Amino acid sequence: SCFLLHTLTFTVIDLESALKDCSSALQLFLNNRFADALALLKPWKSESMYHAMGYSSILVMQAAMTFEPKDMDAAMTSLRESLQTCQRFQTFSKEKKKEEMHAELCYAEVLLQKAALTFLDESLISFIKGGMKIRHSYQIYKDCQDLSNVIKDLEKQKSTYVHFKGGINMGIGSFNLMLSLLPSRVIRLMEFLGFSGDRELGLSELREGATSNSLRSILSTLTLLMFHLYITVILGTGETNLAEAEALLKPYVEKFPNGALMLFYTARIALLKGDFTFAQEKFLACIAAQEEWRQIHHLCYWELMWAYSFELRWKEAYRYADLLCKENKWSQAVYAFQKAAILSMLPEEEVTALGEDVAELFRQVDGLRMRIAGKSIPTEKFAAKKAQRYSSPHPAKLPVPALEMMYVWNGFTVVGKRPGLTQNILATLEEADEQLRNDPKYHLDDQCVVQLLKGLCLRHLGRLIQAEHCFNHVISSEKDIKHDTYLVPFTMFELGLLHKQKGDINMAITVIQNAKVNYKDYNMESRLHFRIHAALNSMGSFSAKLPPSRTPA
């Protein structure tokens, strides 16, 4: 009878209680009490869809931050178990009960997370595998939306409906936003034509979700913050909506002033505004706020490394690059390259005093590369190719590798907000240019790298004629560039943005289209295609719009 009683208590957790529990777990999570949040959800995760989903969500976040195989596996296992828990509550009849509606929604959300985790490797195979799950998940969200439209007004007043609607906002919003980012060739590849991504619709659904008072408000908010503070910078043109990001974050900062996530995003906003000193303070506060999730510290190290690099404070930047090399598994090859790149910006005696050997570090890069599902990671491939020249018996130094990496992560759009610092970077580049001219063994590729970066500084300083001259120098050297074939298409893209800045939209579109259509098989090609897509979209270019939607049979 004791056993019977136990089973009964386990099956009667109702929707309201489950939502309350998840809400409490979320408060714990936002107050840096990560283990407590998991402990609250764990006992019920095989009995309640919301506990299952909440538990998985936390593990997915952890995996996305650490990239540790054991965390990835734990998250994947938990997602599979969550799908089973949700399935037990699903029925496929027309008349759905409240629990069944929520089960559908949770199921779609877990599928979405599973696809997102598969997406993290940037490889095409996983893209397509993830694509099938995504299509299924999107369909469920659409069904839930249709259902929500026919729910009686009386039902809509119930507290559980708010959470249901918030879930739909989050799902439909994330999908549209995600699809609107993808270059058209990827969309064609994934046969996504059944639904095209509408960015404005995506943003408005997420905004509605973020301001609703639902369990998933925070997820809609975090998705919008990721979009404004990372995606538009790394995969876009760097035009970010910081005012909206601040407004979204404000209520959470007031409620959880010491929450690691809040401190982190506050710092990131300051960084993107060009307020590097305040950003550094906040990242350090974020590190001090908690010890439980070390990976949040690693995210801060990465940001601090850049914040000091923007100020050309290479020794401080080196400290954080070194910590990442020692502590984080995300991409050892990128970290080693970054560390060597930063050190090569310092005078040789300082490097020796630090006990480091730049050439030796560069030589390690290739051996540290990861293979995910047999594919190499684009940024690692780029780093390894650049570092290759140190393996020859008479290595020629890379001129400004740390500034070149700054460009790879689109850092010039950030530092460009500070004319004084941009001027300092320009001076460093002028110096490098001078040294190359006096070097009998100089590489034309190196000179073109320096010219591209000089052009960026000049463009941000408003010296457009000189910037155009630098960009044209690179483009006219196309036939003589040996290794860095990425330079011409990327420079062409930047020249297009320069025409946009001058107000010549047609010329901008022509030049950017040329970069898109006439070049292939260069390093970081997909990253440029994302940026091109974003740029053409921002100019309302017809070619950036998706092919007409046709519903799959």
Side-chain angles (χ1 to χ4, degrees):
S1 70
C2 184
F3 171 74
L4 191 67
L5 193 67
H6 183 70
T7 349
L8 277 172
T9 51
F10 253 101
T11 43
V12 292
I13 184 154
D14 61 300
L15 201 53
E16 268 93 348
S17 316
L19 287 162
K20 274 202 187 77
D21 263 4
C22 283
S23 191
S24 307
L26 186 61
Q27 306 284 327
L28 289 168
F29 181 80
L30 295 173
N31 266 321
N32 310 329
R33 291 170 59 189
F34 309 115
D36 293 346
L38 283 169
L40 175 64
L41 297 167
K42 193 176 180 178
W44 299 93
K45 71 183 172 67
S46 44
E47 308 301 325
S48 146
M49 53 196 161
Y50 271 103
H51 287 74
M53 192 187 68
Y55 190 79
S56 295
S57 302
I58 296 177
L59 294 186
V60 168
M61 276 193 206
Q62 196 165 8
M65 284 196 263
T66 61
F67 265 74
E68 292 270 6
K70 63 173 193 338
D71 291 340
M72 289 289 218
D73 292 346
M76 270 303 183
T77 306
S78 176
L79 285 166
R80 279 194 290 273
E81 289 168 1
S82 299
L83 286 175
Q84 288 169 347
T85 304
C86 294
Q87 269 169 325
R88 292 215 307 277
F89 291 91
Q90 284 173 308
T91 56
F92 294 94
S93 64
K94 279 280 174 251
E95 291 300 309
K96 287 191 191 303
K97 296 209 289 288
K98 199 164 57 181
E99 274 78 4
E100 290 154 4
M101 282 165 33
H102 282 267
E104 292 282 315
L105 196 61
C106 292
Y107 186 80
E109 201 161 311
V110 174
L111 263 187
L112 182 59
Q113 289 179 357
K114 206 167 169 210
L117 208 53
T118 326
F119 256 15
L120 285 174
D121 8 328
E122 268 193 74
S123 82
L124 231 56
I125 308 298
S126 66
F127 235 60
I128 296 164
K129 275 192 194 149
M132 298 319 291
K133 292 188 190 76
I134 281 200
R135 170 166 243 153
H136 185 38
S137 171
Y138 186 73
Q139 215 35 65
I140 299 174
Y141 276 118
K142 294 292 277 181
D143 294 346
C144 288
Q145 196 175 31
D146 294 344
L147 205 69
S148 149
N149 295 334
V150 296
I151 288 176
K152 309 268 187 300
D153 285 347
L154 198 64
E155 271 297 302
K156 286 186 178 170
Q157 285 157 16
K158 295 194 173 151
S159 64
T160 54
Y161 176 75
V162 176
H163 299 295
F164 183 64
K165 183 76 175 84
I168 296 171
N169 291 140
M170 204 274 303
I172 299 276
S174 304
F175 267 109
N176 275 284
L177 196 54
M178 194 158 68
L179 288 169
S180 76
L181 295 168
L182 293 176
S184 46
R185 57 182 194 154
V186 180
I187 292 209
R188 282 195 198 98
L189 176 93
M190 295 176 78
E191 294 188 321
F192 257 143
L193 302 182
F195 37 75
S196 57
D198 177 338
R199 175 165 308 184
E200 286 316 307
L201 172 74
L203 290 170
S204 75
E205 286 280 340
L206 285 165
R207 283 172 186 140
E208 191 184 326
T211 50
S212 72
N213 208 355
S214 85
L215 187 59
R216 294 181 182 87
S217 301
I218 182 74
L219 285 174
S220 288
T221 303
L222 290 173
T223 307
L224 283 166
L225 288 171
M226 267 310 281
F227 174 71
H228 289 316
L229 305 180
Y230 280 98
I231 294 168
T232 51
V233 178
I234 297 167
L235 300 179
T237 53
E239 293 166 29
T240 51
N241 186 342
L242 295 179
E244 176 167 23
E246 281 188 293
L248 285 162
L249 196 57
K250 196 169 173 249
Y252 291 99
V253 171
E254 284 166 3
K255 207 169 168 194
F256 308 102
N258 205 34
L261 284 179
M262 313 319 143
L263 289 164
F264 181 80
Y265 278 122
T266 303
R268 176 71 183 171
I269 290 170
L271 183 89
L272 292 182
K273 280 180 164 173
D275 188 349
F276 304 137
T277 311
F278 182 68
Q280 287 152 1
E281 274 170 33
K282 285 290 174 189
F283 283 125
L284 291 170
C286 176
I287 292 170
Q290 59 87 38
E291 276 298 317
E292 203 176 302
W293 272 20
R294 296 281 305 168
Q295 52 275 24
I296 296 180
H297 295 189
H298 301 155
L299 292 173
C300 294
Y301 297 162
W302 174 259
E303 295 291 342
L304 283 161
M305 174 184 80
W306 286 116
Y308 287 117
S309 296
F310 294 150
E311 299 180 322
L312 304 184
R313 290 167 65 186
W314 301 116
K315 235 172 162 165
E316 284 90 343
Y318 156 76
R319 270 187 45 213
Y320 291 104
D322 187 43
L323 279 167
L324 285 169
C325 277
K326 291 182 174 131
E327 290 185 22
N328 189 271
K329 295 285 183 293
W330 173 69
S331 167
Q332 290 282 303
V334 166
Y335 294 147
F337 184 86
Q338 197 78 41
K339 178 173 154 181
I342 287 169
L343 284 167
S344 52
M345 305 299 289
L346 286 167
E348 276 178 32
E349 59 276 12
E350 288 196 38
V351 179
T352 318
L354 289 164
E356 297 283 5
D357 176 345
V358 174
E360 183 44 44
L361 273 169
F362 276 125
R363 282 196 284 272
Q364 289 170 15
V365 173
D366 196 44
L368 292 169
R369 280 166 66 185
M370 283 194 291
R371 288 243 179 267
I372 300 185
K375 299 289 261 182
S376 52
I377 299 163
T379 16
E380 291 200 343
K381 209 169 169 177
F382 176 79
K385 195 171 174 185
K386 295 253 82 171
Q388 211 171 6
R389 64 157 84 171
Y390 285 87
S391 303
S392 80
H394 307 289
K397 285 175 62 173
L398 287 164
V400 283
L403 297 177
E404 191 176 4
M405 275 313 252
M406 193 184 284
Y407 174 59
V408 168
W409 296 100
N410 220 352
F412 281 81
T413 58
V414 181
V415 85
K417 298 194 172 118
R418 295 277 299 275
L421 294 177
T422 306
Q423 198 66 55
N424 296 347
I425 291 178
L426 184 59
T428 305
L429 289 163
E430 300 276 9
E431 211 175 297
D433 207 10
E434 198 56 41
Q435 278 173 344
L436 284 172
R437 284 205 194 98
N438 301 328
D439 182 359
K441 301 200 304 281
Y442 103 110
H443 287 237
L444 179 96
D445 294 43
D446 289 348
Q447 198 200 14
C448 287
V449 167
V450 173
Q451 289 299 321
L452 164 60
L453 302 180
K454 269 173 66 174
L456 289 169
C457 292
L458 290 162
R459 193 183 73 203
H460 284 296
L461 290 166
R463 290 155 64 182
L464 302 186
I465 296 169
Q466 288 165 286
E468 193 167 347
H469 182 74
C470 291
F471 292 151
N472 283 329
H473 176 89
V474 179
I475 294 166
S476 62
S477 311
E478 180 174 354
K479 301 253 182 307
D480 304 307
I481 290 175
K482 287 194 185 67
H483 307 288
D484 295 328
T485 48
Y486 85 95
L487 284 169
V488 175
F490 271 86
T491 303
M492 217 166 250
F493 170 70
E494 298 299 344
L495 179 63
L497 293 182
L498 183 138
H499 287 302
K500 180 189 172 187
Q501 198 172 330
K502 286 200 305 200
D504 190 346
I505 299 294
N506 287 341
M507 188 63 177
I509 290 172
T510 309
V511 175
I512 291 175
Q513 276 293 3
N514 185 2
K516 175 180 169 180
V517 178
N518 294 321
Y519 296 88
K520 55 173 182 292
D521 302 326
Y522 51 89
N523 265 333
M524 295 183 304
E525 188 176 347
S526 67
R527 189 169 291 204
L528 183 60
H529 276 266
F530 273 105
R531 286 185 191 172
I532 286 174
H533 180 72
L536 291 174
N537 252 337
S538 73
M539 294 184 280
S541 152
F542 184 67
S543 62
K545 299 284 176 274
L546 292 177
S549 160
R550 59 184 171 80
T551 316

